[in-house]
Structure formats: structure tokens, C-alpha cells
Amino acid sequence: MRRAVYPGSFDPMTNGHVNIIERALEQCDHLIVAVARNISKTAMFSFDERLEMIREHFVDEPRLSVASFEGLLVDFAANNNCQAVIRGLRAIADFEYEYQMANMNRKLNPNIETIFLMADPNNFYVSSRLVKEVAILGGDLHGVVPDAVRDRLVQKVQSR
Ligand code: ADP
């Protein structure tokens, strides 16, 4: 059984993330999407909201589970019997950080392999940060995030 973990902040999940998840599911038997609790970023959505948006979107996918984690990713992976970590790579901006992380994680636990999936050309410009900025400025995010996420972004901005 090949199990993998796809970690990130998912604040919120974009179509870029959805694409990576769908492709990762083709490469493994079970995928855990893991929302990191210890990332020092200003979040728009609570952890529960982020988990819920991912769960709702993939409600019909029994091979996917959603969790949150704190602490070292390699420990979370090992404790959940995952042999691989999935990361998405957009253009060049992601490369240096991802390369450092992958090598540090290999040093921490050589049994866990990081697998990179290149961003789909339709989504290579999409980031959660940009999506939040566009939402705050009232831009249309159709086709950039799932419709349910778009609705939540609109509600969130209106309630601020
Ligand atoms: P982080 O907070 O670690 O940057 P994110 O939640 O933004 O994580 O993303 C999680 C993973 O998904 C990272 O590997 C990131 O590179 C990848 N990712 C984010 N957006 C996209 C996208 N549009 N296309 C492909 N991969 C993406």
C-alpha cells in the first residue's frame, strides 16, 4: 500500500492544490492532505475551516483523508505510514525553498521520499496569498478556486 502526505497551509485550497491532489492520487493508494498548524503566516481561515473546505471538495474520494499536524513533517509521515511527501512546484520561485526542505527532510528521515509534481500550466500563477488579495479587492475567482471556496472567500471578506 503506497501512502503519501501532501502538506501545506491551504489557506484556502486553490485549483492549483486540487490539481496536485488529483494527480498525486494517481501515484499512490492513499493520500493524506495535511494542514500544518505551525506555519507562521497570517491566516484568513481557521484550521477547521481549511480542513472542511478540503473534505467537502473530496467527499466522494475514499482514498483521500484530511488531517492537521504540528511538529516535524517527517514524523507525521512516519507515524501515518506514509513513504512519500508530495509537493507542488510552481515556476522558479518555489524551487530554492522546496529544495532545502526536501534535503532537510531526507536528512531527518531518509526513508521518506519527497515527490515533486510540476504545477499545471493553468494554475502555475495561482497562490493562496494572491487569491486572498484578489478576494479582498473584490475580483472574480471563478476557475481559480473551487466554487465552494469562492463562496467562503466572499463571505469572509464581507464579514470583515
Ligand atoms: P506552503 O504554505 O507550504 O507554501 P501551500 O499551502 O501554499 O503551502 O501549498 C502547499 C503545496 O502546494 C506546496 O508544495 C506548494 O508549492 C504547492 N502549491 C501551491 N499552489 C500551487 C499551484 N498553483 N500549483 C501547484 N502547486 C501548488
Side-chain angles (χ1 to χ4, degrees):
M1 176 106 164
R2 289 173 56 83
R3 292 169 60 86
V5 54
Y6 178 37
S9 32
F10 305 100
D11 181 43
M13 179 175 73
T14 67
N15 282 349
H17 296 128
V18 170
N19 176 261
I20 296 292
I21 293 171
E22 287 171 351
R23 287 161 56 202
L25 280 166
E26 286 171 22
Q27 305 301 325
C28 64
D29 301 306
H30 191 91
L31 181 71
I32 305 175
V33 179
V35 179
R37 282 193 180 266
N38 54 356
I39 286 179
S40 55
K41 281 185 181 171
T42 11
M44 178 181 264
F45 292 96
S46 71
F47 293 110
D48 288 342
E49 287 172 318
R50 291 185 235 168
L51 294 165
E52 227 172 75
M53 284 185 272
I54 306 167
R55 271 198 197 108
E56 276 171 19
H57 189 84
F58 289 100
V59 67
D60 294 327
E61 181 46 85
R63 294 190 300 115
L64 181 128
S65 54
V66 183
S68 66
F69 76 103
E70 239 167 346
L72 284 178
L73 172 64
V74 286
D75 291 346
F76 177 85
N79 292 336
N80 287 278
N81 299 317
C82 294
Q83 302 87 22
V85 169
I86 304 288
R87 296 290 286 175
L89 265 192
R90 284 160 298 189
I92 32 180
D94 284 333
F95 184 79
E96 194 174 352
Y97 174 70
E98 293 291 343
Y99 185 70
Q100 285 178 1
M101 282 269 293
N103 281 296
M104 179 57 82
N105 283 337
R106 177 179 295 129
K107 174 91 183 134
L108 293 169
N109 187 337
N111 297 322
I112 293 170
E113 186 68 82
T114 303
I115 298 174
F116 292 104
L117 298 178
M118 298 302 291
D120 167 74
N122 295 325
N123 294 301
F124 81 97
Y125 64 93
V126 176
S127 72
S128 297
R129 183 186 57 78
L130 208 51
V131 158
K132 284 181 277 191
E133 279 178 27
V134 171
I136 289 166
L137 298 171
D140 182 10
L141 289 166
H142 181 82
V144 178
V145 296
D147 288 348
V149 172
R150 193 171 53 139
D151 293 346
R152 289 208 193 214
L153 278 162
V154 170
Q155 278 168 23
K156 194 58 100 179
V157 170
Q158 280 169 357
S159 70
R160 278 152 80 98

